[in-house]
């Protein structure tokens, strides 16, 4: 039963996650409510020991942020970039007579609401407000049916967060110590293993070649049809699936394997034969529409049809949801509400006609395992559904494409079946049998609205109609042409984002809402790179997976990982106890948990063996020593005795054959010859070609320290670089001398955009004819005295593409759309936010600009950038206001640092 409502005498405070969602909801709630955003999570585990409260930094578990010695109590802190927002929320709450927590209805959203309640400590009634679409009807209904925070969902989220922290921090530190990888994660490592396993299959793959004939036949009515040879003298012709992928040989069966000569001989024999139609098979078929979108299927079809990454799909869907165009986009459910079914059927009737409307509504069984997910599929919001063309002007290009796809999939899910006939014509002659198959669509049904995407281009072709000439059994056919066709078997296809998402979901690993971040993370960690649409593992991924499989197999076991998800579901329902599981995972019975196993394995693991991947030994030549790929501290390389060669960037592992490796070693023998030796360090100096051009290198990858590199100047050619020039390049940046006005040093350097000189905060680009290696002090002083030009030959500043009438409510500065080096971007005086692809200046509204700037600001400054505070945000004190007393570190039932856990 919903809690009793408190009469609103002033204003109620409603808190959601994002500013966009806040603005949309605010339009429906009116003046009686203040709607504000938390901007995601307001509290989390520390990122490391440096963020821990001072009194806890010396605890042995401080780096984890979880007190593993006292009931796995987490330490929660408010990140620096969230303290101002928390202060704002506390101030608004002082004037409110009710608090509505309206975060998303899933584990993360429930946890955000709980953390808000813990931090804000409200003295007014608190209501949990949940809805799955942002429409007036949905908001009004939610206000009438509020509930309390679901402790089960919060506990499941907290358990997942602690589990991921223990797994990630402990395993990542182990990998780092052994130089076996950059990081590990509960789901990310399993996803990498899948991709590596597929690449192993491709490496082991042996291609097979087979031949057949393609015949062109003419009917009595002079119509043509093409048919493929399927058997000769009773022996079937093999196809790709009949060959073993690791040996290239036919698996079994009495097949007739033809080579080119056999095909030519058979063709000569059949050219004299007579042919007739021996059999016609006609089979009717019925095809049903796919279910409405879930998070996973939306990501898959957006990748196949629109070329969107999982991250782009989710961010675009988030914008559509928050602005009231679609229902909640994180769901496992294929179910539609009664009003949605009614809206879809009305549109089928009006847009396509009664013949496309089935007699009764289609109902799709839900895949939801528990109450943590939204209870509807992803669909257009509201009732009736808005037509795509009527809202196109309100959406960016990408938003419209995704909305249009969701709309069509939803409508198609309530349409009639597609019906047709499959016809197979068998042609006999001269002991040979040919087949040709056609497809006739008698009634397109749901295909009028939507065709599901496929990872297989041939499957998409199969959906197309193919009408055969009119023939009857016994008809004679004349053979117009016979063509010999060579085929070769293909290795298993690499995973695309869509295929990996489908496989993870099929195995029950992770949550569909997390797949975007998983795919993004494994690329950011250099375990995987993309080539076209394919996900390709790197050699460091091979090393990490091998180590996990040989020493921590249970942590990358597919069933084990899927069972973790089931356990979290059980915790959310109250069917399992979280503490027992965490103890078993980390400590284990008889000290067989993660902690003790890591202590043992740190001594056992042979990193060199794990990082070595043999390619074989040459059969001929002077050097027949074995060749191997080695994964070193600074990247993979090929090794044969004393010879080494770098592995080219973005070379797929299955393309690094023994022959290619030997070729690279031969090239390296010439290119890796040192220019000479640095007299100061005794280390060799090389000229090398890298991903971003030629550079000089001091030392080798076998040194304890990472080799020092320096790009050669644009005016130089690699073959003209001498040892003297190389040493000068390696000495950059160099001090030219003191500036006469203040004696501060003037420095010459070679930067990202070319050579320059710097004095304090003043920089000037050097002309093309002046080198930073020998620029004089007098010239540098004269150059620095000149007015600063805008870069090397750059034009005057460009006029803004657009300036909004209203200033930023955060900074008070005008919001401008500017044309930048990498495309248009927004600026509010403090924050820069790139404009998404597909969103034009004309389509950009003031509200959308605020959303983009808020999202960018919430992520904090880019890596390596100086921190800045947005105007109006007070600097937060350095001490953690939510830090505990020292007694909290002792074994007790007291609350952990930064706030209580859901114990």
């Amino acid at each position: 039963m919903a809690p009793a409502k408190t009469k609103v005498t002033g204003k109620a405070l409603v808190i959601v996650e994002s500013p966009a969602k806040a603005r949309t909801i605010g339009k429906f709630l009116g003046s009686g409510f203040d709607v504000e955003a938390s901007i995601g999570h307001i509290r989390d585990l520390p990122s490391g020991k440096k963020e821990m409260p001072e009194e806890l930094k010396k605890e042995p578990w401080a780096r984890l942020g979880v007190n593993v010695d006292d009931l796995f109590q987490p330490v929660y802190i408010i990140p620096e970039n969230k303290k101002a927002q928390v202060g704002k929320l506390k101030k608004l709450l002082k004037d409110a007579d009710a608090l509505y927590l309206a975060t998303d209805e899933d584990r993360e959203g429930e946890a955000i609401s709980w953390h808000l309640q813990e931090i804000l400590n409200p003295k007014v009634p608190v209501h949990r407000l949940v809805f799955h679409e942002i429409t007036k009807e949905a908001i009004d209904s939610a206000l009438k049916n509020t509930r309390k925070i679901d402790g089960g969902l919060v506990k499941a989220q907290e358990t997942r967060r602690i589990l991921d922290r223990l797994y990630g921090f402990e395993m990542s530190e182990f990998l780092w110590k052994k130089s076996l990888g950059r990081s590990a994660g509960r789901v990310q490592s399993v996803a990498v293993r899948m991709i590596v396993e597929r690449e192993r299959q491709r490496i082991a793959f042996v291609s097979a070649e087979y031949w057949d004939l393609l015949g062109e036949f003419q009917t009595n009515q002079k119509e043509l049809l093409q048919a493929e040879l399927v058997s000769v003298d009773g022996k079937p012709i093999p196809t790709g699936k009949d060959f073993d992928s690791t040996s290239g040989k036919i698996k079994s069966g009495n097949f007739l394997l033809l080579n080119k000569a056999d095909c030519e001989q058979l063709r000569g024999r059949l050219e004299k034969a007579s042919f007739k139609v021996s059999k016609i098979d006609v089979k009717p078929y019925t095809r049903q529409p796919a279910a409405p979108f879930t998070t996973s299927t939306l990501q898959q079809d957006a990748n196949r049809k629109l070329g969107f990454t999982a991250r782009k799909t989710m961010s675009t869907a988030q914008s559509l949801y928050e602005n009231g165009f679609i229902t909640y986009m994180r769901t496992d459910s294929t179910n539609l509400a009664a009003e949605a079914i009614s809206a879809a059927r009305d549109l089928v009737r009006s847009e396509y006609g009664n013949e496309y409307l089935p007699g009764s509504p289609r109902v799709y069984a839900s895949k939801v395992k528990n109450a943590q997910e939204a209870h509807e599929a992803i669909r257009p919001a509201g009732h009736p559904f808005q037509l795509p063309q009527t809202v196109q002007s309100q959406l960016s290009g990408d938003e419209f494409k995704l909305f249009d796809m969701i709309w069509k999939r939803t409508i198609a899910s309530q349409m009639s079946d597609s019906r047709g006939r499959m016809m197979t014509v068998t042609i006999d002659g001269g002991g040979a049998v040919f087949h040709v198959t056609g497809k006739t669509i008698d009634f397109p049904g749901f295909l009028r609205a939507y065709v599901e995407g496929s990872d297989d281009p041939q499957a998409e072709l199969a959906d197309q109609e193919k009408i055969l000439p009119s023939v009857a059994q016994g008809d004679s056919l004349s053979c117009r042409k016979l063509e010999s066709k060579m085929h070769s078997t293909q290795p298993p296809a690499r995973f695309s984002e869509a295929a990996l998402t489908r496989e993870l979901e099929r195995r029950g690993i992770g949550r569909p809402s997390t797949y975007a971040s998983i795919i993004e993370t494994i690329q950011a960690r250099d375990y995987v790179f993309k080539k076209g649409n394919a996900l390709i593992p790197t050699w460091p991924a091979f090393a990490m997976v091998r180590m996990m499989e040989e020493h921590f197999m249970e942590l990358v076991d597919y069933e084990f990982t899927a069972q973790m998800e089931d356990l979290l579901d059980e915790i959310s329902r109250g069917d399992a106890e979280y503490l027992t599981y965490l103890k078993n995972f980390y400590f284990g019975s008889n000290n067989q948990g993660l902690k003790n196993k890591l202590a043992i394995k740190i001594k056992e693991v042979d990193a060199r063996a794990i990082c070595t991947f043999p390619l074989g030994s040459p059969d001929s030549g002077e050097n027949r020593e074995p060749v191997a790929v080695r994964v070193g501290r600074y990247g993979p390389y090929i090794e044969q005795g004393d010879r080494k060669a770098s592995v080219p960037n973005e070379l797929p592992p299955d393309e690094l054959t023994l022959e290619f490796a030997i070729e690279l070693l031969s090239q390296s023998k010439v290119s890796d010859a040192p220019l000479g030796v640095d007299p100061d360090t005794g280390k060799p100096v090389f000229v090398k070609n890298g991903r971003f051009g030629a550079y000089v290198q001091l030392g080798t990858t076998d040194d304890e320290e990472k080799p020092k590199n320096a790009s050669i100047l644009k005016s130089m050619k690699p073959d003209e670089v001498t040892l003297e020039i190389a040493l000068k390049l390696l000495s950059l940046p160099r001090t030219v001398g003191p500036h006469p006005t203040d004696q501060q040093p003037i420095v010459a350097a070679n930067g990202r955009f070319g050579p320059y000189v710097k004095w304090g905060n003043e920089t000037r680009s050097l002309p093309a004819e002046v080198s930073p290696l020998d620029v004089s002090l007098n010239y540098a002083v004269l150059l620095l005295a000149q007015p600063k030009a805008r870069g090397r030959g750059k034009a005057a500043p460009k006029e803004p593409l657009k300036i909004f009438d209203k200033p930023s409510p955060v900074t008070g500065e005008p919001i401008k759309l500017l044309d930048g080096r990498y495309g248009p971007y927004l600026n509010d005086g403090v924050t820069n936010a790139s404009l998404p692809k597909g969103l034009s200046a004309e389509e950009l509204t003031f509200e959308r600009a605020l959303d983009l700037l808020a999202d960018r600001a919430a992520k904090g400054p880019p890596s390596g950038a100086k921190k800045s505070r947005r105007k109006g945000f007070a600097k937060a004190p350095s001490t953690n206001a939510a830090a505990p007393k020292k007694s909290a570190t002792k074994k007790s039932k007291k609350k952990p640092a930064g706030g209580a856990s859901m114990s």
Side-chain angles (χ1 to χ4, degrees):
M1 181 180 292
K5 302 296 185 300
T6 300
K7 186 177 180 181
V8 177
T9 55
K11 277 193 174 185
L13 175 61
V14 180
I15 303 178
V16 297
E17 291 103 317
S18 76
K21 192 175 177 183
R23 282 194 298 277
T24 308
I25 291 173
K27 295 175 185 176
F28 299 124
L29 289 177
S31 60
F33 297 84
D34 276 327
V35 186
E36 187 54 62
S38 67
I39 314 180
H41 277 279
I42 61 160
R43 202 167 64 155
D44 198 3
L45 299 177
S47 61
K49 185 185 288 188
K50 63 182 179 182
E51 289 190 0
M52 287 285 284
E54 284 298 326
E55 63 271 23
L56 298 180
K57 284 184 177 179
K58 293 183 180 179
E59 295 293 336
W61 45 266
R63 63 187 177 82
L64 298 173
V66 177
N67 189 345
V68 294
D69 298 327
D70 186 10
L71 305 178
F72 292 88
Q73 292 189 72
V75 176
Y76 289 120
I77 66 162
I78 302 172
E80 284 295 326
N81 64 343
K82 292 297 176 72
K83 287 181 178 178
Q85 191 67 10
V86 170
K88 183 178 181 181
L89 294 174
K90 287 182 175 180
K91 185 177 180 181
L92 288 169
L93 186 59
K94 286 181 181 179
D95 301 324
D97 55 14
L99 174 63
Y100 289 86
L101 299 171
T103 53
D104 294 338
E105 192 185 18
D106 55 14
R107 285 184 201 150
E108 295 301 319
E110 207 72 18
I112 291 173
S113 281
W114 177 73
H115 282 292
L116 282 166
Q117 182 170 280
E118 289 286 304
I119 290 297
L120 298 179
N121 192 22
K123 308 301 182 188
V124 295
V126 179
H127 311 281
R128 182 73 172 97
L129 194 66
V130 293
F131 41 80
H132 303 119
E133 59 179 326
I134 304 178
T135 60
K136 188 175 188 333
E137 295 78 14
I139 303 300
D140 288 344
S141 175
L143 284 169
K144 296 174 184 175
N145 297 281
T146 59
R147 61 168 173 80
K148 294 181 179 180
I149 290 174
D150 187 327
L153 287 181
V154 176
K155 179 47 65 180
Q157 187 276 343
E158 186 173 75
T159 305
R160 194 273 309 162
R161 188 74 184 92
I162 294 171
L163 184 68
D164 286 351
R165 171 56 61 92
L166 298 177
Y167 187 127
F169 271 38
E170 294 284 31
M171 284 307 310
S172 296
E173 184 178 87
F174 183 90
L175 291 171
W176 183 255
K177 286 179 179 177
K178 288 290 184 178
S179 299
L180 289 168
R182 293 164 176 80
S183 69
R186 183 174 57 89
V187 180
Q188 94 180 38
S189 298
V190 174
V192 173
R193 183 188 174 206
M194 286 183 181
I195 296 168
V196 166
E197 282 190 335
R198 183 61 55 88
E199 196 71 10
R200 287 171 178 164
Q201 293 170 4
R202 292 176 64 89
I203 292 171
F205 177 79
V206 177
S207 181
E209 182 181 294
Y210 61 98
W211 290 71
D212 62 14
L213 291 173
L214 181 67
E216 184 177 270
F217 301 92
Q218 182 173 284
T219 69
N220 296 329
Q221 289 75 36
K222 307 299 182 184
E223 293 181 293
L224 299 178
L225 72 164
Q226 287 188 330
E228 295 178 343
L229 180 69
V230 294
S231 70
V232 177
D233 299 329
K235 286 191 174 183
I237 303 297
T239 60
K241 63 179 173 36
D242 299 314
F243 291 86
D244 186 278
S245 64
T246 58
S247 68
K249 297 180 180 179
I250 293 178
K251 294 176 184 176
S252 61
N254 189 27
F255 289 102
L256 176 63
L257 181 60
L258 301 174
N259 57 31
K260 185 176 182 181
D262 296 333
C263 254
E264 291 300 316
Q265 184 178 358
L266 179 62
R267 185 174 71 168
R269 165 185 149 186
L270 295 180
E271 283 175 343
K272 304 170 186 175
S274 298
F275 292 90
K276 66 175 182 178
V277 177
S278 60
K279 187 178 180 183
I280 298 175
D281 284 329
V282 180
K283 295 180 179 178
Y285 74 86
T286 300
R287 184 177 166 191
Q288 295 181 336
F293 280 130
T294 62
T295 303
S296 171
T297 54
L298 178 67
Q299 290 176 10
Q300 291 173 47
D301 254 26
N303 183 249
R304 297 167 183 143
K305 288 177 168 287
L306 306 178
F308 286 7
T309 62
R311 172 64 67 192
K312 183 174 183 178
T313 299
M314 292 308 292
S315 63
T316 306
Q318 180 92 26
S319 178
L320 288 171
Y321 166 65
E322 290 178 344
N323 287 285
F325 291 102
I326 64 170
T327 54
Y328 189 52
M329 67 291 160
R330 292 189 178 93
T331 174
D332 284 337
S333 177
T334 54
N335 185 40
L336 290 176
E339 67 172 20
I341 293 175
S342 174
R345 287 176 64 83
D346 288 345
L347 280 169
V348 172
R349 188 181 293 108
S350 62
E351 295 293 311
Y352 301 100
N354 284 323
E355 66 270 29
Y356 287 88
L357 190 68
S360 58
R362 292 186 182 275
V363 178
Y364 296 90
S366 173
K367 295 180 181 180
V368 177
K369 291 182 179 180
N370 56 41
Q372 75 136 9
E373 302 291 353
H375 299 292
E376 264 201 277
I378 303 168
R379 61 166 176 85
H383 183 279
F385 295 162
Q386 299 181 83
L387 295 172
Q389 57 267 30
T390 65
V391 299
Q392 187 168 5
S393 62
Q394 304 170 52
L395 304 174
S396 70
D398 287 342
E399 288 171 344
F400 175 75
K401 289 176 186 176
L402 196 65
F403 178 78
D404 186 60
M405 196 173 81
I406 292 168
W407 190 93
K408 289 175 177 176
R409 174 83 165 225
T410 307
I411 302 305
S413 73
Q414 290 300 316
M415 292 177 72
S416 298
D417 294 344
S418 170
R419 301 189 301 275
R421 289 165 290 147
M422 298 292 294
M423 176 186 289
T424 302
V425 176
T426 303
I427 301 168
D428 281 7
V433 177
F434 292 80
H435 276 175
V436 57
T437 301
K439 179 180 180 180
T440 302
I441 298 175
D442 297 324
F443 178 65
F446 72 91
L447 295 176
R448 279 283 305 277
Y450 190 83
V451 180
E452 189 177 11
S454 171
D455 294 319
D456 180 6
Q458 296 303 316
E460 293 184 12
L461 291 175
D463 284 331
Q464 300 176 9
E465 191 171 43
K466 180 183 177 183
I467 300 178
L468 300 180
S470 178
V471 292
Q473 188 170 333
D475 282 358
S476 296
L477 301 173
S478 60
C479 182
R480 293 283 304 274
K481 183 170 64 175
L482 289 170
E483 181 183 356
S484 298
K485 299 282 287 185
M486 190 273 282
H487 307 273
S488 59
T489 55
Q490 298 299 312
R494 293 187 177 98
F495 287 109
S496 63
E497 286 197 14
L500 181 64
T501 297
R502 186 181 65 245
E503 185 65 11
L504 287 168
E505 184 182 42
R506 185 185 72 81
R507 292 179 180 270
I509 294 170
R511 285 283 175 200
S513 58
T514 65
Y515 295 155
S517 62
I518 291 167
I519 293 169
E520 194 173 67
T521 298
I522 62 179
Q523 291 180 79
R525 298 289 185 266
D526 290 330
Y527 285 135
V528 172
F529 64 92
K530 288 184 77 171
K531 195 171 187 178
N533 204 31
L535 297 169
I536 303 174
T538 61
W539 287 106
F542 272 71
M544 184 273 287
V545 169
R546 176 191 276 180
M547 194 281 298
M548 295 294 286
E549 288 176 337
E550 292 182 5
H551 298 279
F552 300 92
M553 185 60 197
E554 69 278 5
L555 296 183
V556 288
D557 179 76
Y558 300 133
E559 283 298 318
F560 176 78
T561 309
Q563 287 167 6
M564 284 188 183
E565 294 298 333
D566 292 338
L567 180 93
L568 292 172
D569 292 344
E570 291 175 9
I571 291 171
S572 71
R573 296 192 300 265
D575 296 336
E577 209 282 312
Y578 81 99
L579 194 56
T580 301
Y581 182 74
L582 289 175
K583 284 180 178 178
N584 186 58
F585 174 78
Y586 193 67
F587 294 112
S589 57
N590 299 318
N591 286 324
Q592 292 302 306
L594 178 64
K595 182 180 180 180
N596 193 56
K597 196 166 186 180
L598 285 167
I600 296 170
K601 291 295 183 180
I602 196 71
K603 302 171 185 176
E604 288 184 3
V605 172
D606 183 348
R608 182 178 178 85
I610 284 173
C611 291
T612 302
F613 299 90
L615 297 177
S617 301
D619 294 329
S620 59
E622 295 180 7
N623 190 346
R624 300 192 186 185
E625 290 184 274
V627 180
V629 177
R630 290 281 313 283
V631 180
R633 185 180 302 174
Y634 308 116
Y637 60 94
I638 303 161
E639 183 178 66
Q640 185 188 34
D642 295 331
R643 296 203 299 167
K644 294 180 176 63
S646 297
V647 175
N649 287 313
E650 299 189 355
L651 176 72
D654 76 328
E655 294 180 19
L656 186 52
T657 61
L658 175 62
E659 293 72 25
F660 188 37
I662 292 171
E663 183 182 335
L664 290 172
L665 286 164
S666 299
Q667 294 172 1
S668 177
K669 187 175 182 180
V670 177
S671 63
D672 275 1
L675 294 171
V677 175
D678 175 24
D680 293 333
T681 64
K683 294 181 179 181
V685 179
F686 304 90
V687 176
K688 292 180 173 285
N689 277 305
R691 184 176 178 184
F692 303 108
Y695 65 96
V696 293
Q697 176 179 299
L698 175 65
T700 68
T701 55
D702 287 337
D703 296 340
E704 289 186 8
E705 296 181 0
K706 185 176 181 179
K708 184 178 180 180
N709 297 332
S711 298
I712 71 168
L713 303 178
K714 291 182 180 179
S715 58
M716 295 178 177
K717 293 181 180 178
D719 56 1
E720 295 175 349
V721 176
T722 64
L723 175 62
E724 181 183 6
I725 292 174
L727 291 173
K728 285 185 176 181
L729 289 169
L730 288 163
S731 71
L732 293 177
R734 74 178 183 92
T735 300
V736 179
H739 196 283
T741 60
D742 61 1
Q743 301 303 305
Q744 292 299 309
I746 297 175
V747 175
N750 186 27
R752 180 180 177 189
F753 303 113
Y756 65 95
V757 289
K758 182 177 182 181
W759 165 52
N761 293 325
E762 292 290 326
T763 58
R764 300 291 186 274
S765 294
L766 288 170
E769 66 274 10
V770 180
S771 169
L773 301 179
D774 50 24
V775 61
S776 68
L777 177 60
N778 287 339
Y779 185 89
V781 171
L782 289 172
L783 186 63
L784 287 161
Q786 295 176 12
K788 189 169 186 177
R790 295 191 59 82
R792 194 180 296 274
K794 287 186 180 177
K798 297 180 181 178
E799 289 294 319
L801 300 174
K802 190 173 189 175
I803 302 178
F804 291 96
D805 296 334
K806 293 185 261 183
S808 165
V810 177
T811 67
E813 299 289 330
I815 295 179
K816 301 176 183 179
L817 179 64
L818 304 171
D819 187 11
R821 177 183 175 93
Y822 303 108
Y825 67 96
L826 290 160
N827 176 270
D828 64 358
V830 173
T831 300
N832 291 335
S834 298
L835 211 62
K837 288 182 180 178
L839 179 61
S840 67
E842 293 74 22
E843 296 172 320
L844 180 66
T845 63
F846 180 72
E847 289 74 18
R848 187 71 200 283
L850 291 178
D851 291 347
L852 293 169
L853 288 163
D855 289 346
R856 175 63 262 182
K859 294 175 183 176
S863 178
K866 291 182 179 179
K867 293 182 179 179
S868 62
R869 294 200 310 276
R870 293 164 74 79
K871 191 180 291 184
F873 282 17
K875 183 177 180 180
S878 59
T879 55
N880 188 343
K885 296 181 179 179
K886 289 187 179 181
S887 59
T889 65
K890 298 177 182 178
K891 289 200 171 189
S892 67
K893 303 260 181 172
K894 290 186 178 180
K895 292 183 179 181
S901 70
M902 281 291 294
S903 300

